[in-house]
C-alpha cells in the first residue's frame, strides 16, 4: 500500500463533518505509517498537551496519552475529581486556565453535546481543542480509528456493505461513522431496537433486521448499549437483547469468511456480542484499540501542524 507524506493540518478536531475526505484519508494513511514503524518524525517536545476527561474513559484517554508521549509532547496530568471543578469551576474556565498556562492541545471529553462551541469562539482561549467525545454528539477519534481498521483490512471503502447495529440514537460513534461512511461510498445498514432508531438516519442507510443482511456484510459494527444515558436495554432483558439484536454464536456462523466484526468497546459481554466472540477470528476489537494509538498520533501531529503555521516555534 502506498504511503503519503502527512500534509494534514488542523486548527481543532471537533466533528467528522468538519473534515474533508482528503483530510480523513490523510489521517488514516498517516496512522498506518506510524503503525508500520517506518516513519521518522520530529520530536514535539516543545508542545504541551492535556487530556481533560469529564466522563469515564479507558481507551480514548489512555491512547491519546500514549500517542502524545510517542510524539514526544509534554503531557500535563488532569483529573476532574481533584481539580477546581469541585469548587465550581466551569469547563470554560478550566480550558481558559489550561490555555493561559501554556497547554497547546486540550483533548476534552464532556457529557454536553457541542461543549466545544464556546471554547473555540473565545478570543482568549489559544489552546487547540480535540474532541474526545461530546455526550451523544460526536466521537471523531473513534471514528477515525474505525476507518483505519476497515481500510487496513480491505484497502478501500467504496461499495463495502457495513451494518451499524445497536444503540443508534444514543451513540456518538454511530453518528460520526454514518456521516463519513456514506461520504466514502459505503452501502450502509442500521439495525437494533426500533425505539433506538431515528428517521434522521434514513439519509445515510437502510434499517434492516440483522438476520436478513448478515451473510452479505463486509463489516458488522456493533454498538455498546449506553447504560449511562438511559435505563435498560430498550425494554428487553439482557438475554432477549442479545438473542434479538446482538451477535450470538449461531449468528456468527452466517457471516462471510472475509467479514469482520467491530465494536468501539467497552463491550457488554453477552449483550452486544457473545463473550467467546470478542477475541474470535473475525473480531477486530483488539486491533481497533491498537489502531487508536496510531490514528491519535496522526491527529495530534495534524493539530500541531496547524499550530506551527499560526505560531511558528521560536
Ligand atoms: N471507545 C471508547 O471511547 O472507549 P472509552 O470510553 O474507554 O474511551
Amino acid at each position: 500500500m502506498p504511503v503519503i507524506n502527512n500534509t494534514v493540518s488542523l486548527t481543532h478536531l471537533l466533528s467528522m463533518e468538519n473534515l474533508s475526505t482528503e483530510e480523513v484519508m490523510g489521517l488514516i494513511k498517516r496512522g498506518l505509517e506510524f503503525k508500520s514503524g517506518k516513519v521518522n518524525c520530529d520530536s514535539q517536545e516543545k508542545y504541551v498537551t492535556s487530556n481533560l476527561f469529564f466522563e469515564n474513559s479507558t481507551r480514548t484517554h489512555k491512547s491519546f496519552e500514549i500517542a502524545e508521549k510517542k510524539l514526544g509532547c509534554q503531557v500535563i496530568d488532569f483529573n476532574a475529581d481533584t481539580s477546581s471543578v469541585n469548587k465550581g469551576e466551569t469547563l470554560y474556565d478550566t480550558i481558559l486556565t489550561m490555555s493561559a498556562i501554556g497547554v497547546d492541545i486540550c483533548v476534552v471529553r464532556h457529557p454536553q453535546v457541542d461543549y466545544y462551541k464556546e471554547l473555540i469562539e473565545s478570543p482568549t482561549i489559544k489552546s487547540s481543542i480535540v474532541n474526545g467525545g461530546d455526550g451523544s454528539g460526536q466521537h471523531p477519534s473513534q471514528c477515525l480509528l474505525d476507518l483505519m481498521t476497515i481500510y487496513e483490512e480491505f484497502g478501500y471503502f467504496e461499495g463495502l456493505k457495513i451494518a451499524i447495529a445497536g444503540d443508534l440514537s444514543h451513540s456518538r460513534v454511530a453518528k460520526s461513522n454514518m456521516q463519513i461512511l456514506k461520504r466514502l461510498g459505503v452501502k450502509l445498514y442500521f439495525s437494533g431496537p426500533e425505539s433506538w432508531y431515528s428517521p434522521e438516519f434514513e439519509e445515510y442507510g437502510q434499517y434492516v433486521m440483522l438476520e436478513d443482511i448478515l451473510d452479505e456484510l463486509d463489516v458488522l459494527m456493533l454498538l455498546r448499549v449506553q447504560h449511562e444515558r438511559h435505563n435498560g436495554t430498550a425494554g428487553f432483558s439482557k438475554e432477549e437483547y442479545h438473542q434479538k439484536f446482538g451477535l450470538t454464536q449461531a449468528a456468527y456462523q452466517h457471516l462471510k469468511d472475509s467479514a469482520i466484526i467491530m465494536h468501539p468497546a467497552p463491550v457488554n459481554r453477552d449483550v452486544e456480542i457473545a463473550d467467546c466472540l470478542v477475541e474470535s477470528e473475525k473480531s477486530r476489537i483488539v486491533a481497533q484499540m491498537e489502531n487508536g494509538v496510531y490514528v491519535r498520533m496522526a491527529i495530534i501531529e495534524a493539530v500541531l501542524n496547524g499550530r506551527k503555521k499560526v505560531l511558528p516555534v521560536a
Side-chain angles (χ1 to χ4, degrees):
M1 182 190 308
V3 288
I4 59 163
N5 291 327
N6 182 34
T7 52
V8 180
S9 170
L10 303 172
T11 307
H12 307 282
L13 177 66
L14 306 172
S15 163
M16 292 306 292
E17 289 162 305
N18 304 135
L19 295 177
S20 68
T21 305
E22 290 70 30
E23 286 169 333
V24 169
M25 292 310 298
L27 290 167
I28 293 169
K29 290 178 180 178
R30 187 59 169 168
L32 289 167
E33 277 190 330
F34 279 127
K35 187 172 182 178
S36 76
K38 292 180 191 148
V39 59
N40 290 318
C41 69
D42 297 336
S43 177
Q44 310 288 348
E45 75 267 8
K46 289 185 192 303
Y47 292 95
V48 182
T49 64
S50 191
N51 304 308
L52 301 101
F53 279 65
F54 298 87
E55 272 190 349
N56 296 345
S57 170
T58 304
R59 277 144 287 272
T60 312
H61 191 168
K62 292 301 152 192
S63 58
F64 263 118
E65 189 173 329
I66 290 175
E68 292 154 1
K69 287 180 175 170
K70 278 179 180 275
L71 289 170
C73 296
Q74 300 171 56
V75 185
I76 302 300
D77 193 30
F78 177 85
N79 181 342
D81 291 338
T82 55
S83 74
S84 288
V85 170
N86 281 334
K87 300 181 208 163
E89 183 176 84
T90 62
L91 174 65
Y92 182 90
D93 284 335
T94 302
I95 304 300
L96 184 65
T97 304
M98 290 291 164
S99 172
I101 65 175
V103 175
D104 292 288
I105 300 180
C106 292
V107 178
V108 182
R109 172 173 287 187
H110 196 277
Q112 187 187 321
V113 173
D114 292 346
Y115 71 77
Y116 47 78
K117 285 195 171 159
E118 64 167 350
L119 307 179
I120 62 164
E121 283 164 8
S122 163
T124 319
I125 292 175
K126 304 297 181 205
S127 305
S128 294
I129 306 299
V130 172
N131 183 9
D134 59 306
S136 57
Q138 287 270 329
H139 196 346
S141 68
Q142 176 70 44
C143 178
L144 286 162
L145 77 86
D146 291 344
L147 296 179
M148 177 177 159
T149 306
I150 295 168
Y151 192 76
E152 183 178 42
E153 189 74 30
F154 297 98
Y156 62 93
F157 292 102
E158 184 79 39
L160 288 176
K161 289 188 173 180
I162 300 182
I164 306 181
D167 192 350
L168 293 157
S169 54
H170 303 99
S171 170
R172 53 195 173 208
V173 177
K175 280 168 203 144
S176 289
N177 272 313
M178 69 179 73
Q179 294 163 359
I180 187 66
L181 287 172
K182 172 87 190 293
R183 204 185 333 149
L184 291 169
V186 163
K187 173 88 176 133
L188 204 53
Y189 301 93
F190 299 111
S191 194
E194 271 185 76
S195 58
W196 289 347
Y197 178 76
S198 164
E200 73 194 61
F201 303 151
E202 269 167 27
E203 67 175 293
Y204 304 108
Q206 183 188 347
Y207 180 78
V208 292
M209 294 307 292
L210 207 49
E211 69 236 34
D212 294 338
I213 197 74
L214 213 50
D215 60 358
E216 291 180 37
L217 292 177
D218 297 298
V219 181
L220 173 59
M221 196 179 271
L222 298 162
L223 298 172
R224 183 174 66 84
V225 176
Q226 307 263 304
H227 292 294
E228 70 276 31
R229 304 196 199 284
H230 55 73
N231 291 321
T233 33
F236 300 93
S237 70
K238 287 182 180 175
E239 177 56 23
E240 283 169 344
Y241 183 94
H242 180 57
Q243 292 298 330
K244 208 166 162 60
F245 307 110
L247 186 68
T248 61
Q249 287 187 69
Y252 181 87
Q253 304 305 325
H254 293 281
L255 286 165
K256 290 196 291 194
D257 287 347
S258 58
I260 62 168
I261 304 160
M262 297 172 63
H263 189 302
V267 171
N268 293 305
R269 289 174 184 255
D270 289 329
V271 179
E272 299 104 25
I273 178 169
D275 182 13
C276 64
L277 298 178
V278 173
E279 294 164 64
S280 61
E281 197 182 335
K282 292 185 173 62
S283 171
R284 296 294 178 274
I285 296 172
V286 177
Q288 286 174 272
M289 295 174 200
E290 187 188 356
N291 287 345
V293 172
Y294 299 109
V295 94
R296 287 175 174 122
M297 288 176 75
I299 292 167
I300 295 294
E301 184 188 55
V303 175
L304 292 179
N305 287 343
R307 294 183 73 75
K308 285 170 197 168
K309 276 189 188 167
V310 183
L311 306 164
V313 179

